[in-house]
Amino acid sequence: MLRSRVVGVVAALGVAAGCAPAAPDAGELLTRRSEALLRGDRTAFAATGDAAQWEALHALPLTAWRYEVAEVTVQGEDTATVEAELRHRLEQDVGTATARRVLTLGRDDDGTWRVTADRPAPGEAEQLWDQDPAPRTASTPRTLVVASGADTDPRAYTPLGEAAARAVDEAWDTAVRPVVVVPESTEAMARLLDAPASAYRATAAVTTPGDAPRVVVNPEAFGTLGEQARQIVVTHEATHVALRARTTTRTPMWLSEGCADWTAYRGEEQPPAEAAPALARAARDGDVPRGLPTDGEFAFGGDAGTVGRAYEGAWLACRLVADRWGERAVRTLYDAVGEDGEEAALRDVLGVDRAAFTALWQAELREELGAR
């Protein structure tokens, strides 16, 4: 068995010693395969190996597709396994997505190496093209929708993406073109996120991590919502896409989730007690939260009441900032927290410490939600 490590797709992989079979030049092979895909040359793509995924890949508006080979393992004379990082980008992605892949290569009778399989690495999420041989897309100047399943029309989601992009631009002075992914089921959604489906049964949509965040819809939960609620969900997630580069490990979830909801509800005239029913019920029972929501309270799959109150409390905290200090303060605070941390940013931007801000927020909850 021969193992050969390389960095970059065009690096030579070396040859075997003694009688062992030579390692394939996986970098060169995958470069040819990538270039054929990007220029839409099916014949050249098929010449590099299995073309079963061609239709799914060609249906996507790809602007970048490149493998970086990490390791090649030769198994016998005619088979090799390639571990690689795939870097790809859709035309409206804000950055480049990365995914670890395992490819199997086979050697023909004439000695030519070809790709025979391309699948997610162990522990890696599935990708769009792994799930549907014929995904369908719809795009507008502000959004791209990719849908799986014969019953899903991607055009039904473009007005939501368009409105979400406008709302984010107005609230944050930041242009965003969200990519909205609509898988066939909750189970398919979970595989895109490499998570158990049980964690997302009641979740209408999430935003993926990484440099190319995308809005992934849970079609089953999303389908139970009314039009206004659907718009709020998509705008919330589009805000996460827009703010991903400004969100750091210093940013608490009450601020990131609260600002996403603040953006989504900003144009609505719904009274707080209606928009925050879980927290309103608790407040009417005299149970006003003792502090701002902790990160753990937002956990997927957690207690529904706890999660609901956390989101609602976070929204009202960011709404308080906008109402008391102005909308510009919301934007300034978000960036300052990401750079300097919560305590320092509250003092510098709002002129209060965390304890004082929390007290103002609690007073707001009592007034707005009818607490006794």
Side-chain angles (χ1 to χ4, degrees), residues 115-208:
V115 176
T116 59
D118 183 344
R119 60 192 182 277
E124 189 78 359
E126 291 182 355
Q127 298 296 316
L128 305 171
W129 57 89
D130 294 320
Q131 294 191 350
D132 191 335
R136 287 164 298 131
T137 66
S139 63
T140 67
R142 289 182 181 265
T143 192
L144 167 68
V145 179
V146 182
S148 297
D151 296 332
T152 305
D153 184 353
R155 294 172 297 179
Y157 291 82
T158 54
L160 298 171
E162 280 277 321
R166 287 194 299 271
V168 171
D169 194 0
E170 292 170 2
W172 294 90
D173 194 24
T174 298
V176 64
R177 298 183 300 168
V179 176
V180 180
V181 178
V182 189
E184 192 168 13
S185 65
T186 304
E187 286 73 17
M189 173 198 188
R191 295 198 301 274
L192 289 175
L193 301 170
D194 190 31
S198 58
Y200 296 102
R201 292 286 180 201
T203 302
V206 298
T207 302
T208 59

Coordinates of all heavy atoms in Angstrom, one line a residue, residues 115-208:
V115 N -12.6 8.7 -12.4 CA -13.4 8.8 -11.1 C -14.5 7.8 -11.3 O -15.3 7.8 -12.2 CB -13.9 10.2 -10.9 CG1 -14.8 10.2 -9.7 CG2 -12.8 11.2 -10.7
T116 N -14.7 6.9 -10.3 CA -15.8 6.0 -10.3 C -16.9 6.3 -9.2 O -18.0 5.8 -9.2 CB -15.3 4.5 -10.1 OG1 -14.6 4.4 -8.8 CG2 -14.4 4.1 -11.2
A117 N -16.5 7.2 -8.2 CA -17.4 7.6 -7.2 C -16.9 8.8 -6.5 O -15.7 9.0 -6.4 CB -17.6 6.5 -6.1
D118 N -17.8 9.7 -6.0 CA -17.5 10.9 -5.3 C -18.6 11.1 -4.3 O -19.8 11.3 -4.6 CB -17.6 12.1 -6.3 CG -17.2 13.4 -5.7 OD1 -17.2 13.5 -4.5 OD2 -16.9 14.4 -6.5
R119 N -18.2 11.0 -3.0 CA -19.2 11.0 -1.9 C -18.7 11.8 -0.7 O -17.5 12.1 -0.7 CB -19.5 9.5 -1.5 CG -18.2 8.8 -1.0 CD -18.5 7.3 -0.8 NE -17.3 6.6 -0.3 CZ -16.3 6.2 -1.0 NH1 -16.3 6.4 -2.3 NH2 -15.3 5.6 -0.5
P120 N -19.5 12.1 0.2 CA -19.1 12.9 1.4 C -18.1 12.0 2.2 O -18.3 10.8 2.3 CB -20.4 13.1 2.2 CG -21.5 13.0 1.2 CD -21.0 12.0 0.2
A121 N -17.2 12.7 2.8 CA -16.2 12.0 3.7 C -17.0 11.6 5.0 O -18.1 12.2 5.3 CB -15.1 12.9 4.1
P122 N -16.5 10.6 5.7 CA -17.2 10.2 6.9 C -17.4 11.3 7.9 O -16.5 12.1 8.1 CB -16.2 9.1 7.5 CG -15.5 8.6 6.3 CD -15.4 9.7 5.4
G123 N -18.6 11.5 8.4 CA -18.9 12.6 9.3 C -19.2 13.9 8.6 O -19.4 14.9 9.3
E124 N -19.2 13.9 7.3 CA -19.4 15.2 6.5 C -20.9 15.2 6.0 O -21.5 14.2 5.7 CB -18.5 15.2 5.4 CG -18.5 16.6 4.6 CD -17.7 17.6 5.3 OE1 -17.1 17.4 6.4 OE2 -17.6 18.8 4.8
A125 N -21.4 16.4 6.0 CA -22.8 16.6 5.5 C -22.9 16.2 4.0 O -21.9 16.4 3.3 CB -23.3 18.0 5.8
E126 N -24.1 15.8 3.6 CA -24.4 15.6 2.2 C -24.4 17.0 1.5 O -24.7 18.0 2.2 CB -25.7 14.9 2.0 CG -25.7 13.4 2.4 CD -27.0 12.7 2.1 OE1 -27.9 13.4 1.7 OE2 -27.1 11.5 2.3
Q127 N -24.3 17.0 0.2 CA -24.4 18.3 -0.6 C -25.6 18.2 -1.4 O -26.3 17.1 -1.6 CB -23.1 18.5 -1.4 CG -21.9 18.6 -0.6 CD -21.9 19.9 0.2 OE1 -22.3 20.9 -0.2 NE2 -21.4 19.7 1.5
L128 N -26.0 19.3 -2.0 CA -27.2 19.4 -2.8 C -27.3 18.3 -3.9 O -28.3 17.6 -4.1 CB -27.3 20.7 -3.5 CG -27.2 22.0 -2.6 CD1 -27.1 23.2 -3.4 CD2 -28.4 22.1 -1.7
W129 N -26.2 18.1 -4.6 CA -26.2 17.1 -5.7 C -26.1 15.7 -5.2 O -26.4 14.8 -6.0 CB -25.0 17.4 -6.6 CG -23.7 17.4 -5.9 CD1 -22.8 16.3 -5.7 CD2 -23.0 18.5 -5.3 NE1 -21.7 16.7 -5.0 CE2 -21.8 18.0 -4.7 CE3 -23.3 19.9 -5.1 CZ2 -20.9 18.8 -4.0 CZ3 -22.4 20.7 -4.4 CH2 -21.3 20.2 -3.9
D130 N -25.8 15.4 -4.0 CA -25.9 14.1 -3.4 C -27.3 13.6 -3.3 O -27.5 12.4 -3.2 CB -25.1 14.0 -2.1 CG -23.6 14.3 -2.2 OD1 -23.0 13.8 -3.1 OD2 -23.1 14.9 -1.3
Q131 N -28.2 14.5 -3.1 CA -29.6 14.1 -2.8 C -30.5 14.1 -3.9 O -31.5 13.3 -3.9 CB -30.1 15.2 -1.7 CG -29.4 15.1 -0.4 CD -30.2 16.0 0.6 OE1 -31.1 16.7 0.3 NE2 -29.8 15.8 1.9
D132 N -30.3 14.9 -5.0 CA -31.3 14.9 -6.0 C -30.6 15.0 -7.4 O -29.7 15.8 -7.6 CB -32.1 16.2 -5.9 CG -33.4 16.3 -6.8 OD1 -33.3 15.6 -7.8 OD2 -34.3 17.0 -6.5
P133 N -30.9 14.0 -8.3 CA -30.2 14.0 -9.6 C -30.7 15.1 -10.5 O -30.1 15.4 -11.5 CB -30.6 12.7 -10.2 CG -31.9 12.3 -9.5 CD -31.8 12.9 -8.1
A134 N -31.7 15.8 -10.1 CA -32.2 16.9 -11.0 C -32.8 18.1 -10.1 O -34.0 18.4 -10.2 CB -33.3 16.4 -11.9
P135 N -32.0 18.8 -9.3 CA -32.5 19.9 -8.6 C -32.9 21.0 -9.6 O -32.4 21.1 -10.7 CB -31.3 20.3 -7.7 CG -30.1 19.9 -8.5 CD -30.5 18.6 -9.2
R136 N -33.9 21.8 -9.1 CA -34.3 22.9 -10.0 C -34.0 24.2 -9.3 O -34.1 24.3 -8.1 CB -35.8 22.7 -10.2 CG -36.1 21.6 -11.2 CD -37.6 21.2 -11.2 NE -37.9 20.7 -9.9 CZ -39.0 21.0 -9.2 NH1 -39.8 22.0 -9.7 NH2 -39.3 20.5 -8.1
T137 N -33.8 25.2 -10.1 CA -33.4 26.5 -9.5 C -34.3 27.6 -10.1 O -34.9 27.5 -11.2 CB -31.9 26.9 -9.9 OG1 -31.8 27.1 -11.3 CG2 -31.0 25.8 -9.4
A138 N -34.4 28.7 -9.3 CA -35.0 30.0 -9.8 C -34.2 31.1 -9.2 O -33.8 31.1 -8.0 CB -36.5 30.0 -9.3
S139 N -34.0 32.1 -10.0 CA -33.2 33.2 -9.5 C -33.8 34.6 -9.9 O -34.5 34.7 -10.9 CB -31.7 33.1 -10.0 OG -31.7 33.2 -11.4
T140 N -33.5 35.6 -9.1 CA -33.8 37.0 -9.4 C -32.5 37.8 -9.1 O -31.5 37.2 -8.6 CB -35.0 37.4 -8.5 OG1 -34.5 37.4 -7.1 CG2 -36.2 36.5 -8.6
P141 N -32.5 39.0 -9.3 CA -31.3 39.8 -9.0 C -30.9 39.7 -7.5 O -29.8 39.9 -7.2 CB -31.8 41.2 -9.4 CG -32.8 41.1 -10.5 CD -33.5 39.9 -10.1
R142 N -31.9 39.4 -6.6 CA -31.6 39.5 -5.2 C -31.5 38.1 -4.5 O -31.1 38.0 -3.4 CB -32.6 40.3 -4.4 CG -32.5 41.8 -4.7 CD -33.5 42.5 -3.8 NE -33.5 44.0 -4.0 CZ -32.9 44.8 -3.3 NH1 -32.2 44.4 -2.2 NH2 -32.9 46.1 -3.5
T143 N -31.9 37.0 -5.2 CA -32.0 35.7 -4.5 C -31.8 34.6 -5.5 O -32.1 34.7 -6.7 CB -33.2 35.6 -3.7 OG1 -33.1 34.5 -2.8 CG2 -34.5 35.4 -4.6
L144 N -31.4 33.5 -5.0 CA -31.3 32.2 -5.7 C -32.0 31.1 -4.9 O -31.7 31.0 -3.7 CB -29.8 31.8 -6.0 CG -29.6 30.4 -6.5 CD1 -30.1 30.2 -7.9 CD2 -28.1 30.1 -6.5
V145 N -32.8 30.3 -5.5 CA -33.5 29.3 -4.8 C -33.1 28.0 -5.5 O -33.2 27.9 -6.7 CB -35.0 29.4 -4.8 CG1 -35.7 28.3 -4.1 CG2 -35.4 30.8 -4.2
V146 N -32.7 27.0 -4.7 CA -32.5 25.6 -5.2 C -33.4 24.7 -4.5 O -33.4 24.6 -3.3 CB -31.0 25.2 -5.0 CG1 -30.7 23.8 -5.6 CG2 -30.0 26.3 -5.6
A147 N -34.2 23.9 -5.3 CA -35.2 23.1 -4.7 C -35.0 21.6 -5.2 O -34.6 21.4 -6.3 CB -36.6 23.5 -5.1
S148 N -35.3 20.7 -4.3 CA -35.3 19.3 -4.6 C -36.7 18.7 -4.5 O -37.6 19.3 -3.8 CB -34.4 18.5 -3.6 OG -33.1 18.9 -3.6
G149 N -37.0 17.7 -5.2 CA -38.3 17.0 -5.2 C -39.2 17.6 -6.3 O -39.3 18.8 -6.5
A150 N -40.0 16.7 -6.9 CA -40.8 17.1 -8.0 C -42.0 18.0 -7.6 O -42.5 18.7 -8.4 CB -41.4 15.8 -8.6
D151 N -42.3 18.0 -6.3 CA -43.5 18.8 -5.9 C -43.1 20.2 -5.4 O -44.0 20.9 -5.1 CB -44.2 18.0 -4.7 CG -44.8 16.7 -5.1 OD1 -45.1 16.6 -6.3 OD2 -44.8 15.8 -4.3
T152 N -41.9 20.6 -5.5 CA -41.5 21.9 -5.0 C -41.1 22.8 -6.1 O -40.2 22.4 -7.0 CB -40.2 21.8 -4.0 OG1 -40.6 20.8 -3.0 CG2 -39.9 23.1 -3.5
D153 N -41.8 23.9 -6.2 CA -41.5 24.9 -7.3 C -40.6 26.0 -6.7 O -41.0 26.7 -5.8 CB -42.8 25.5 -7.8 CG -42.6 26.5 -8.9 OD1 -41.4 26.8 -9.2 OD2 -43.6 27.0 -9.5
P154 N -39.3 26.1 -7.1 CA -38.4 27.1 -6.5 C -38.9 28.5 -6.7 O -38.6 29.4 -5.9 CB -37.1 26.9 -7.2 CG -37.5 26.2 -8.5 CD -38.7 25.3 -8.2
R155 N -39.8 28.8 -7.7 CA -40.3 30.1 -8.0 C -41.2 30.6 -6.8 O -41.4 31.8 -6.7 CB -41.0 30.2 -9.3 CG -40.1 29.9 -10.5 CD -40.9 29.8 -11.8 NE -41.8 28.6 -11.7 CZ -42.7 28.3 -12.7 NH1 -42.7 29.0 -13.8 NH2 -43.4 27.2 -12.5
A156 N -41.7 29.7 -6.1 CA -42.6 30.1 -5.0 C -41.8 30.7 -3.8 O -42.4 31.4 -3.0 CB -43.3 28.8 -4.4
Y157 N -40.5 30.6 -3.8 CA -39.7 31.1 -2.8 C -38.9 32.4 -3.1 O -38.4 33.1 -2.3 CB -38.7 30.1 -2.3 CG -39.3 28.9 -1.6 CD1 -39.8 27.8 -2.3 CD2 -39.3 28.8 -0.2 CE1 -40.4 26.7 -1.7 CE2 -39.9 27.7 0.4 CZ -40.4 26.7 -0.3 OH -41.0 25.6 0.4
T158 N -38.9 32.7 -4.4 CA -38.1 33.9 -4.8 C -38.7 35.2 -4.3 O -38.0 36.1 -3.9 CB -38.0 34.0 -6.3 OG1 -39.2 33.9 -7.0 CG2 -37.1 32.8 -6.8
P159 N -40.0 35.4 -4.2 CA -40.6 36.6 -3.6 C -40.2 36.8 -2.2 O -39.9 37.9 -1.7 CB -42.1 36.5 -3.8 CG -42.3 35.5 -4.9 CD -41.2 34.6 -4.8
L160 N -40.1 35.7 -1.4 CA -39.7 35.7 0.0 C -38.2 36.2 0.1 O -37.8 37.0 0.9 CB -39.9 34.4 0.6 CG -41.3 33.8 0.7 CD1 -41.3 32.4 1.2 CD2 -42.1 34.7 1.6
G161 N -37.4 35.6 -0.8 CA -35.9 36.0 -0.8 C -35.7 37.4 -1.2 O -34.9 38.1 -0.6
E162 N -36.5 37.9 -2.2 CA -36.4 39.3 -2.7 C -36.8 40.2 -1.5 O -36.1 41.2 -1.3 CB -37.3 39.5 -3.8 CG -36.8 39.0 -5.2 CD -35.8 40.0 -5.8 OE1 -36.1 41.2 -5.7 OE2 -34.8 39.6 -6.3
A163 N -37.9 40.0 -0.9 CA -38.4 40.8 0.2 C -37.4 40.8 1.4 O -37.1 41.8 2.0 CB -39.8 40.4 0.7
A164 N -36.8 39.6 1.7 CA -35.8 39.5 2.8 C -34.6 40.4 2.4 O -34.1 41.1 3.3 CB -35.5 38.1 3.0
A165 N -34.1 40.3 1.2 CA -32.9 41.1 0.8 C -33.2 42.6 1.0 O -32.3 43.3 1.4 CB -32.5 40.7 -0.6
R166 N -34.4 43.0 0.6 CA -34.7 44.4 0.7 C -34.7 44.8 2.2 O -34.2 45.9 2.6 CB -36.0 44.7 0.1 CG -36.0 44.7 -1.5 CD -37.3 45.4 -2.0 NE -38.5 44.6 -1.7 CZ -39.0 43.6 -2.3 NH1 -38.4 43.2 -3.4 NH2 -40.1 43.0 -1.9
A167 N -35.3 44.0 3.0 CA -35.4 44.3 4.5 C -34.1 44.4 5.1 O -33.8 45.3 5.9 CB -36.3 43.3 5.2
V168 N -33.2 43.5 4.7 CA -31.8 43.5 5.3 C -31.1 44.8 4.8 O -30.4 45.4 5.6 CB -31.1 42.2 4.9 CG1 -29.6 42.3 5.3 CG2 -31.7 41.0 5.6
D169 N -31.2 45.1 3.6 CA -30.5 46.3 3.1 C -31.0 47.5 3.8 O -30.2 48.4 4.1 CB -30.8 46.4 1.6 CG -29.9 47.4 0.9 OD1 -29.0 48.0 1.5 OD2 -30.0 47.5 -0.4
E170 N -32.3 47.6 4.0 CA -32.9 48.8 4.7 C -32.4 48.9 6.1 O -32.2 50.0 6.6 CB -34.4 48.8 4.6 CG -34.9 49.0 3.2 CD -36.4 48.7 3.1 OE1 -37.0 48.4 4.1 OE2 -37.0 48.8 1.9
A171 N -32.4 47.8 6.8 CA -32.0 47.8 8.2 C -30.5 47.9 8.5 O -30.1 48.6 9.5 CB -32.6 46.5 8.9
W172 N -29.7 47.3 7.6 CA -28.3 47.3 7.9 C -27.4 48.0 6.9 O -26.2 48.0 7.0 CB -27.9 45.8 7.9 CG -28.5 45.1 9.1 CD1 -29.7 44.4 9.1 CD2 -28.0 45.0 10.4 NE1 -30.0 43.9 10.4 CE2 -28.9 44.3 11.2 CE3 -26.8 45.5 11.1 CZ2 -28.7 44.0 12.6 CZ3 -26.6 45.2 12.4 CH2 -27.6 44.5 13.2
D173 N -28.1 48.6 5.8 CA -27.3 49.2 4.8 C -26.3 48.2 4.2 O -25.1 48.6 3.9 CB -26.6 50.5 5.3 CG -26.1 51.3 4.1 OD1 -26.6 51.2 3.0 OD2 -25.1 52.1 4.4
T174 N -26.7 47.0 4.0 CA -25.8 45.9 3.6 C -26.6 45.1 2.5 O -27.7 44.6 2.8 CB -25.5 45.0 4.7 OG1 -24.7 45.7 5.7 CG2 -24.6 43.8 4.3
A175 N -26.0 45.0 1.3 CA -26.6 44.2 0.3 C -26.4 42.7 0.6 O -25.3 42.3 0.9 CB -26.0 44.6 -1.1
V176 N -27.4 41.9 0.3 CA -27.3 40.5 0.5 C -28.2 39.8 -0.6 O -29.2 40.3 -1.0 CB -27.8 40.0 1.9 CG1 -29.3 40.3 2.1 CG2 -27.5 38.5 2.1
R177 N -27.7 38.7 -1.1 CA -28.4 37.9 -2.1 C -28.5 36.5 -1.6 O -27.7 35.6 -1.9 CB -27.7 38.0 -3.4 CG -27.6 39.4 -4.0 CD -26.9 39.3 -5.4 NE -25.5 38.7 -5.3 CZ -24.8 38.4 -6.3 NH1 -25.3 38.5 -7.5 NH2 -23.6 37.9 -6.2
P178 N -29.5 36.2 -0.7 CA -29.5 34.9 -0.1 C -29.7 33.8 -1.1 O -30.5 33.9 -2.0 CB -30.7 35.0 0.9 CG -31.6 36.1 0.3 CD -30.6 37.1 -0.3
V179 N -29.0 32.7 -0.8 CA -29.3 31.4 -1.5 C -30.2 30.6 -0.6 O -29.8 30.3 0.6 CB -27.9 30.7 -1.7 CG1 -28.2 29.3 -2.3 CG2 -27.0 31.5 -2.6
V180 N -31.4 30.3 -1.1 CA -32.4 29.5 -0.3 C -32.4 28.1 -0.9 O -32.7 27.9 -2.0 CB -33.8 30.2 -0.4 CG1 -34.8 29.4 0.4 CG2 -33.7 31.6 0.1
V181 N -32.2 27.1 0.0 CA -32.2 25.7 -0.4 C -33.4 25.1 0.2 O -33.6 25.2 1.4 CB -30.9 25.0 0.2 CG1 -30.9 23.5 -0.2 CG2 -29.6 25.7 -0.4
V182 N -34.2 24.4 -0.6 CA -35.4 23.7 -0.2 C -35.3 22.2 -0.5 O -35.5 21.8 -1.6 CB -36.6 24.3 -0.9 CG1 -37.9 23.7 -0.3 CG2 -36.6 25.8 -0.9
P183 N -34.8 21.4 0.5 CA -34.7 20.0 0.3 C -36.1 19.4 0.3 O -37.1 20.0 0.5 CB -33.9 19.5 1.5 CG -34.2 20.6 2.6 CD -34.4 21.9 1.9
E184 N -36.2 18.1 0.1 CA -37.4 17.4 -0.1 C -38.2 17.1 1.2 O -39.4 17.0 1.2 CB -37.2 16.1 -0.9 CG -38.5 15.4 -1.4 CD -38.2 14.3 -2.4 OE1 -37.0 13.9 -2.4 OE2 -39.1 13.8 -3.0
S185 N -37.4 17.0 2.3 CA -38.1 16.6 3.6 C -37.2 17.1 4.7 O -36.1 17.6 4.5 CB -38.2 15.1 3.6 OG -36.9 14.5 3.6
T186 N -37.7 16.9 5.9 CA -37.0 17.2 7.1 C -35.7 16.3 7.2 O -34.6 16.8 7.6 CB -37.8 17.0 8.4 OG1 -39.0 17.8 8.3 CG2 -37.1 17.4 9.6
E187 N -35.9 15.0 6.8 CA -34.7 14.1 6.9 C -33.6 14.6 5.9 O -32.5 14.5 6.2 CB -35.2 12.7 6.5 CG -36.0 12.0 7.6 CD -37.4 12.5 7.8 OE1 -37.9 13.3 6.9 OE2 -38.0 12.3 8.9
A188 N -34.1 15.0 4.7 CA -33.1 15.5 3.8 C -32.4 16.8 4.3 O -31.2 16.9 4.1 CB -33.8 15.8 2.4
M189 N -33.2 17.6 4.9 CA -32.6 18.8 5.5 C -31.5 18.5 6.5 O -30.4 19.0 6.5 CB -33.7 19.7 6.2 CG -33.2 20.9 7.0 SD -34.5 21.4 8.1 CE -33.7 22.9 8.7
A190 N -31.8 17.5 7.4 CA -30.9 17.1 8.4 C -29.6 16.5 7.8 O -28.5 16.8 8.4 CB -31.6 16.1 9.3
R191 N -29.7 15.8 6.7 CA -28.5 15.3 6.1 C -27.7 16.4 5.5 O -26.4 16.3 5.5 CB -28.9 14.2 5.0 CG -29.6 13.0 5.6 CD -29.5 11.8 4.6 NE -30.2 12.2 3.3 CZ -31.5 12.0 3.1 NH1 -32.3 11.6 4.1 NH2 -32.0 12.3 1.9
L192 N -28.3 17.4 5.0 CA -27.5 18.6 4.5 C -26.8 19.3 5.7 O -25.8 19.9 5.5 CB -28.4 19.6 3.9 CG -29.0 19.2 2.5 CD1 -30.0 20.3 2.0 CD2 -27.9 19.0 1.5
L193 N -27.3 19.1 6.9 CA -26.7 19.7 8.1 C -25.9 18.8 8.9 O -25.4 19.2 10.0 CB -27.8 20.4 8.9 CG -28.7 21.4 8.2 CD1 -29.9 21.8 9.0 CD2 -27.8 22.7 7.9
D194 N -25.9 17.5 8.5 CA -25.2 16.4 9.3 C -25.7 16.4 10.7 O -24.9 16.5 11.7 CB -23.7 16.6 9.2 CG -22.9 15.4 9.8 OD1 -23.4 14.3 9.6 OD2 -21.8 15.6 10.4
A195 N -27.0 16.3 10.9 CA -27.6 16.4 12.2 C -28.8 15.5 12.2 O -29.3 15.1 11.1 CB -28.0 17.8 12.6
P196 N -29.2 15.0 13.4 CA -30.4 14.2 13.4 C -31.7 15.0 13.1 O -31.8 16.2 13.4 CB -30.5 13.7 14.9 CG -29.7 14.8 15.6 CD -28.6 15.2 14.7
A197 N -32.6 14.4 12.4 CA -33.8 15.1 12.0 C -34.6 15.5 13.2 O -35.3 16.6 13.1 CB -34.7 14.1 11.1
S198 N -34.5 14.8 14.3 CA -35.3 15.2 15.5 C -34.9 16.6 16.0 O -35.8 17.3 16.6 CB -35.1 14.2 16.6 OG -33.7 14.1 16.9
A199 N -33.7 17.1 15.7 CA -33.3 18.4 16.1 C -34.0 19.5 15.4 O -34.0 20.7 15.8 CB -31.8 18.5 16.0
Y200 N -34.6 19.2 14.2 CA -35.1 20.3 13.3 C -36.6 20.1 13.0 O -37.1 20.8 12.2 CB -34.3 20.3 12.0 CG -32.9 20.7 12.2 CD1 -31.9 19.7 12.2 CD2 -32.5 22.0 12.5 CE1 -30.6 20.0 12.4 CE2 -31.2 22.3 12.7 CZ -30.2 21.4 12.7 OH -28.9 21.7 12.9
R201 N -37.3 19.2 13.7 CA -38.7 18.9 13.3 C -39.5 20.2 13.4 O -40.4 20.4 12.6 CB -39.3 17.9 14.3 CG -38.7 16.5 14.1 CD -39.3 15.8 12.9 NE -38.7 14.5 12.8 CZ -38.7 13.8 11.6 NH1 -39.2 14.4 10.5 NH2 -38.2 12.6 11.6
A202 N -39.3 21.0 14.4 CA -40.1 22.2 14.6 C -39.4 23.5 14.1 O -39.9 24.6 14.4 CB -40.4 22.4 16.1
T203 N -38.3 23.3 13.4 CA -37.6 24.5 12.9 C -37.9 24.7 11.4 O -37.7 23.8 10.6 CB -36.1 24.2 13.1 OG1 -35.8 24.0 14.4 CG2 -35.3 25.4 12.6
A204 N -38.3 25.9 11.1 CA -38.8 26.2 9.7 C -37.6 26.4 8.8 O -37.7 26.1 7.6 CB -39.7 27.5 9.7
A205 N -36.5 26.9 9.3 CA -35.3 27.2 8.5 C -34.1 27.4 9.3 O -34.2 27.9 10.5 CB -35.6 28.3 7.5
V206 N -32.9 27.2 8.8 CA -31.7 27.5 9.5 C -30.7 28.1 8.4 O -30.9 28.0 7.2 CB -31.0 26.3 10.1 CG1 -31.9 25.7 11.2 CG2 -30.7 25.2 9.1
T207 N -29.6 28.7 8.9 CA -28.6 29.2 8.1 C -27.3 28.3 8.3 O -27.0 28.1 9.5 CB -28.2 30.7 8.4 OG1 -29.4 31.4 8.2 CG2 -27.1 31.2 7.5
T208 N -26.7 27.9 7.3 CA -25.6 27.0 7.4 C -24.3 27.8 7.9 O -24.2 29.0 7.6 CB -25.3 26.3 6.1 OG1 -25.0 27.3 5.1 CG2 -26.4 25.4 5.6

